Amino acid sequence: MQTQNGSYYLNIQLESQPAEPPPRNQVLGCDLGRTDIAVTSDGDTFSGKQITKVRNHYAKLRANIQRKATKGTRSTRRRCRELLKRLSGKEKRFQTLVNHTISHRIVTKAKNKNQVVALEDLTGIRERTNQQPRSKQVRRRFNNWAFFQLRQFLIYKAIKHSVKILFGEPS
């Protein structure tokens, strides 16, 4: 592929098999939640206050802009649509960054201490928690956390660093 300045780029994809995880006898337990995103058995806590603050900010901002987009002049509606388009994905990218950071720190710690990572299997958590009647704001908070994404990041980083992951029932 040639760029405008005349240089060429070549994209080559290689497949490799990950190294087999060595036998380990210590376990690093990891509890996932909303208030604290992840708490390890070693005492590391990854707080969710900043994420909750950012999510609340974007929810309030979107609601305000969408309210303005339904009223007002044609130019106001157009500017609101442009602003919504510009803001789209910003919250998701922030969440992805946080999940990458947390998963990297957990896997690196497990690798350095020669431990196995034990996670909760949170499959179907939304269905279980949505059984109770809740307000719109509480439902939004419960349903917008990316447990699965964090789990996927932990799995692929654990494979990369030859760390074994175990799944257990949530307590």
Side-chain angles (χ1 to χ4, degrees):
M1 177 162 100
Q2 184 177 10
T3 61
Q4 288 180 345
N5 65 359
S7 59
Y8 287 90
Y9 288 97
L10 180 62
N11 187 4
I12 299 174
Q13 183 175 350
L14 301 174
E15 282 190 31
S16 63
Q17 293 296 323
E20 193 65 33
R24 298 171 182 189
N25 55 4
Q26 292 182 333
V27 176
L28 177 66
C30 188
D31 183 35
L32 304 177
R34 260 192 40 226
T35 307
D36 290 325
I37 300 161
V39 178
T40 63
S41 57
D42 287 353
D44 291 337
T45 303
F46 302 96
S47 177
K49 287 182 181 179
Q50 180 188 13
I51 293 165
T52 304
K53 182 179 175 184
V54 168
R55 285 189 179 276
N56 289 339
H57 167 74
Y58 281 115
K60 192 182 217 181
L61 185 63
R62 278 192 307 270
N64 193 12
I65 293 169
Q66 287 169 354
R67 196 176 312 113
K68 287 180 182 178
T70 59
K71 306 176 196 172
T73 62
R74 182 195 267 165
S75 63
T76 303
R77 291 192 306 261
R78 185 181 67 243
R79 272 191 248 117
C80 287
R81 283 192 309 268
E82 289 170 356
L83 181 57
L84 282 171
K85 187 184 286 187
R86 195 183 76 208
L87 290 176
S88 72
K90 213 169 184 185
E91 180 181 347
K92 183 179 178 182
R93 287 189 300 273
F94 174 74
Q95 181 67 59
T96 303
L97 173 71
V98 170
N99 281 338
H100 270 299
T101 305
I102 291 170
S103 61
H104 176 74
R105 289 178 61 189
I106 290 172
V107 169
T108 303
K109 185 167 193 169
K111 181 183 178 190
N112 291 341
K113 290 191 170 188
N114 200 20
Q115 295 174 323
V116 175
V117 178
L119 286 177
E120 297 175 295
D121 186 12
L122 295 176
T123 305
I125 186 117
R126 282 175 178 52
E127 291 78 19
R128 290 193 303 269
T129 57
N130 285 338
Q131 297 294 325
Q132 299 115 3
R134 293 197 170 109
S135 69
K136 186 178 180 179
Q137 187 178 37
V138 173
R139 276 195 318 269
R140 176 183 57 81
R141 285 186 185 145
F142 263 92
N143 290 325
N144 69 3
W145 184 251
F147 288 116
F148 183 73
Q149 184 185 55
L150 179 58
R151 177 179 167 170
Q152 293 304 109
F153 290 168
L154 279 166
I155 289 171
Y156 95 78
K157 287 178 180 164
I159 291 170
K160 178 181 174 187
H161 294 289
S162 298
V163 174
K164 188 173 182 178
I165 292 191
L166 303 174
F167 294 101
E169 290 296 315
S171 53

